[in-house]
């Protein structure tokens, strides 16, 4: 009698170091692409927030703790590289968004493609509002309210359009690290 | 299940408190503080990757830009050729005048103009990763003589200032950023004020210009040394596009269209001029 193995993430948890390496690789790649290639591929002058999308995808499909740590690290990375941003501000915003996404994902059906995309859309709205609110509250120089709404809306649209593609890349990378992709072959 | 949820809540709390502590630390520390040093380390680590991706991805970016501009490229080419011919003639005349001007300044013992200042040309290797901050990373740093607060320009006019310099790269704050500013002078009337940014698609704002001054749309705006501004006087910024202000106000509300196209910066020049010392602070 043959034993059928099911590729369940809980049964095949990747080594913590490999998972951490994957998260760092995904976040750094997103940040570098966001600040270079995508500055030429803008949507009405707006650059997509790839780091946000990666973080929300991870929070939607991975464990709550991994989602939180990824969000904090991704936010910190953005703050470190973005001049004028207060260190810790993006990490605070992304950690809050990732926590809400993780909690909501427990109500979504397993393996759903729709949920992460909706999570990216709603998470981007929340992240833009929170980031603008905290920046103004902390006395940062900021653009007008009209520009904030226009830029924020375009970011949400661009992030959502890219979400299915980035979700595929994130899921594929997780499978590779877990070794599921090799076993399936 | 409850224990797992409790551990997540504890982790959430730890991460939020750490974020808040970092915000406080950054808010209170100055240019030499821990956050500044961390930023420099991160920039040094990320810059080579950005430089590599820019080198590989530039043809893709150019292709997309060309596709966008395809419809207007023929008319644009004709216009640019006419402009080139006219500018070549002006440049020839200007070179002669510049040399004459520098000779006269030397004879009168006046300080030399920014046009004669030493400069380095740098390539833009990355933009700020956000949409509410406008800055770029260039591939020249302290080893090339680049220092904090040095003016950055293109042939069209003022781009911004060096915000921070690492060994081999530097971050430039663009004039369109809301936190950027410069002392400015209206060339027509000689009135002075201060320009600040409003984002890349918006004109600059010129404030603190006295209502007594005559200001009209089309007036050129240049940098000024007023209040010991960090930029040398006379660098072109833009032209007045709109003048507002009711009769009761004592100052104008002026919009300035910048000369520089901040969306397509590829190469910039850093003037190797140290910023003037701050008043009341002794320099060695």
């Amino acid at each position: 009698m043959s034993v059928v193995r099911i590729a369940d993430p809980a049964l095949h948890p990747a080594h913590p170091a490999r998972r951490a390496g994957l998260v760092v690789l995904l976040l750094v790649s997103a940040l570098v692409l966001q600040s270079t290639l995508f500055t030429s591929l803008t949507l009405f002058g707006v650059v997509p927030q790839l780091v946000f999308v990666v973080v929300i995808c991870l929070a939607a499909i991975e464990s709550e703790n991994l989602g939180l740590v990824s969000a904090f690290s991704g936010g910190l990375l953005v703050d470190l590289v973005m001049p004028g941003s207060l260190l810790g501000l993006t990490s605070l915003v992304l950690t809050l968004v990732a926590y809400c996404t993780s909690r909501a994902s427990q109500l979504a059906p397993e393996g759903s493609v729709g949920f992460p995309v909706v999570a990216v859309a709603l998470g981007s709205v929340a992240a833009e509002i929170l980031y603008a609110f905290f920046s103004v509250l902390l006395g940062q120089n900021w653009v007008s309210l009209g520009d904030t709404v226009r830029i924020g809306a375009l970011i949400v649209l661009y992030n959502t359009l890219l979400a299915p593609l980035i979700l595929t890349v994130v899921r594929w990378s997780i499978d590779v690290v877990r070794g599921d992709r090799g076993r399936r072959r | 299940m409850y224990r797992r949820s409790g551990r997540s809540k504890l982790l959430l709390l730890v991460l939020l408190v750490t974020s808040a502590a970092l915000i406080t630390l950054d808010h209170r520390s100055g240019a030499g503080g821990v956050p500044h040093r961390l930023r420099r380390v991160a920039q040094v680590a990320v810059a080579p990757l950005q430089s590599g991706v820019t080198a590989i991805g530039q043809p893709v970016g150019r292709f997309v830009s060309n596709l966008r501009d395809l419809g207007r490229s023929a008319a644009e080419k004709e216009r640019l050729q006419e402009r080139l011919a006219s500018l070549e003639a002006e440049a020839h005349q200007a070179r002669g005048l510049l040399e004459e001007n520098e000779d006269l300044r030397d004879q009168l013992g006046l300080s030399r103009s920014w046009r004669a200042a030493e400069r380095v040309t740098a390539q833009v290797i990355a933009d700020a990763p956000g949409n509410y901050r406008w800055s770029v990373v260039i591939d020249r740093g302290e080893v090339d003589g680049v220092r904090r607060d040095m003016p950055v320009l293109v042939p069209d006019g003022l781009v911004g200032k060096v915000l921070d310099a690492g060994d081999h790269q530097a971050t430039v704050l663009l004039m369109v950023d809301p936190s950027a500013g410069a002392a400015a002078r209206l060339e027509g009337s000689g009135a002075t004020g201060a320009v600040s940014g409003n984002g890349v698609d918006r004109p600059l704002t010129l404030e603190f210009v006295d209502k007594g001054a005559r200001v009209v749309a089309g007036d050129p705006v240049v940098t000024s040394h007023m209040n010991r501004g960090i930029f040398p006087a006379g660098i072109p910024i833009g032209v007045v596009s709109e003048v507002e202000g009711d009769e009761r106000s004592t100052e104008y509300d002026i919009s300035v269209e910048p000369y520089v196209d901040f969306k397509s910066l590829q190469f910039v020049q850093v003037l190797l001029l140290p910023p003037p010392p701050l008043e009341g602070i002794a320099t060695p």
Side-chain angles (χ1 to χ4, degrees):
Chain A
M1 197 175 83
S2 62
V3 178
V4 178
R5 282 181 179 272
I6 302 163
D8 182 346
L11 295 176
H12 301 292
H15 191 276
R18 290 176 70 184
R19 288 205 317 177
L22 172 69
V23 169
V24 171
L25 184 69
L26 286 171
L27 292 176
V28 172
S29 305
L31 181 81
V32 170
L33 287 174
Q34 184 179 317
S35 59
T36 54
L37 197 60
F38 276 86
T39 57
S40 306
L41 306 173
T42 57
L43 183 71
F44 300 108
V46 167
V47 182
Q49 299 298 291
L50 300 186
V51 176
F52 283 29
V53 181
V54 168
V55 160
I56 298 171
C57 284
L58 283 169
I61 62 173
E62 271 291 327
S63 71
E64 204 166 324
N65 286 357
L66 185 80
L68 286 173
V69 173
S70 308
F72 177 79
S73 316
L76 201 58
L77 199 59
V78 170
D79 286 335
L80 282 170
V81 179
M82 186 154 65
S85 173
L86 274 174
L87 191 64
L89 185 54
T90 312
S91 49
L92 178 83
V93 167
L94 284 190
T95 305
L96 284 170
V97 170
Y99 180 73
C100 296
T101 307
S102 282
R103 301 300 289 180
S105 72
Q106 290 165 12
L107 306 171
E110 189 108 359
S112 162
V113 178
F115 173 74
V117 176
V118 172
V120 167
L122 296 178
S124 298
V125 173
E128 292 307 314
I129 292 171
L130 286 173
Y131 189 80
F133 174 75
F134 283 127
S135 294
V136 174
L137 194 71
L138 292 164
Q140 298 277 289
N141 290 306
W142 199 254
V143 292
S144 66
L145 181 64
D147 280 347
T148 307
V149 172
R150 184 184 63 83
I151 295 170
L154 286 169
I155 292 171
V156 172
L157 177 65
Y158 208 169
N159 284 0
T160 311
L161 289 173
L162 287 174
L165 176 70
I166 293 172
L167 179 67
T168 309
V169 173
V170 170
R171 277 206 164 123
W172 180 83
S173 311
I174 290 168
D175 282 354
V176 168
V177 167
R178 279 193 182 126
D180 289 355
R181 195 144 290 271
R183 269 196 287 275
R184 278 176 199 169
R185 280 183 201 143
Chain B
M1 184 69 191
Y2 283 114
R3 225 169 76 189
R4 193 179 269 186
S5 174
R7 270 165 51 188
S8 293
K9 278 183 182 156
L10 181 66
L11 179 63
L12 173 72
L13 189 68
V14 168
L15 296 178
L16 291 181
V17 169
T18 309
S19 298
L22 285 170
I23 292 170
T24 311
L25 185 69
D26 198 15
H27 214 51
R28 291 182 172 215
S29 65
V34 177
H36 179 255
R37 287 203 291 270
L38 285 174
R39 281 202 168 96
R40 197 173 260 206
V41 170
Q43 195 62 67
V44 167
V46 174
L49 296 172
Q50 290 174 322
S51 187
V53 174
T54 299
I56 296 164
Q58 227 165 28
V60 179
R62 280 202 197 121
F63 177 71
V64 173
S65 299
N66 289 344
L67 276 183
R68 278 183 195 155
D69 299 339
L70 209 58
R72 54 181 180 186
S73 57
E76 184 75 359
K77 188 183 167 191
E78 203 172 307
R79 192 186 66 81
L80 287 173
Q81 275 173 338
E82 276 174 26
R83 189 165 151 78
L84 179 68
S86 139
L87 286 176
E88 272 174 352
E90 279 179 30
H92 183 72
Q93 194 184 2
R95 265 197 298 274
L97 288 170
L98 185 64
E99 280 168 22
E100 190 183 306
N101 182 281
E102 295 305 332
D103 283 347
L104 288 169
R105 277 176 174 273
D106 283 346
Q107 285 171 31
L108 292 168
L110 297 171
S111 61
R112 292 176 78 85
S113 130
W114 60 271
R115 288 187 174 85
E118 204 182 331
R119 58 190 74 190
V120 290
T121 302
Q123 189 186 1
V124 173
I125 57 171
D127 284 18
N131 285 294
Y132 301 103
R133 301 275 168 230
W134 287 271
S135 62
V136 292
V137 180
I138 57 172
D139 65 348
R140 300 282 180 166
E142 285 187 341
V143 294
D144 307 291
V146 176
R147 299 285 184 274
R148 188 183 161 89
D149 286 341
M150 281 182 169
V152 180
L153 41 102
V154 288
D156 290 334
L158 183 67
V159 168
K161 66 167 188 171
V162 176
L163 196 65
D164 193 23
D167 286 346
H168 299 282
Q169 77 288 318
T171 306
V172 177
L173 183 70
L174 304 182
M175 277 307 295
V176 287
D177 189 278
S179 61
R185 184 172 58 83
L186 286 151
E187 273 199 323
S189 63
T192 54
V195 286
S196 55
N198 297 301
V200 81
D201 292 321
R202 294 279 180 268
L204 308 169
T205 302
L206 176 57
E207 295 171 292
F208 313 120
V209 176
D210 194 87
K211 254 316 204 23
R214 187 176 170 273
V215 186
V216 289
D219 268 359
V221 179
V222 297
T223 53
S224 159
H225 237 333
M226 180 192 71
N227 293 332
R228 302 182 73 82
I230 65 161
F231 297 111
I235 301 177
I237 297 174
V239 288
V240 172
S241 57
E242 209 177 328
V243 186
E244 284 177 16
D246 58 44
E247 285 173 5
R248 282 171 297 176
S249 61
T250 53
E251 292 166 355
Y252 284 118
D253 189 7
I254 302 169
S255 297
V256 176
E257 201 59 51
Y259 290 126
V260 177
D261 179 5
F262 290 93
K263 283 186 194 165
S264 58
L265 291 173
Q266 282 187 17
F267 292 93
V268 294
Q269 289 185 325
V270 183
L271 290 187
L272 301 183
L273 288 172
L278 292 172
E279 240 170 307
I281 296 177
T283 48

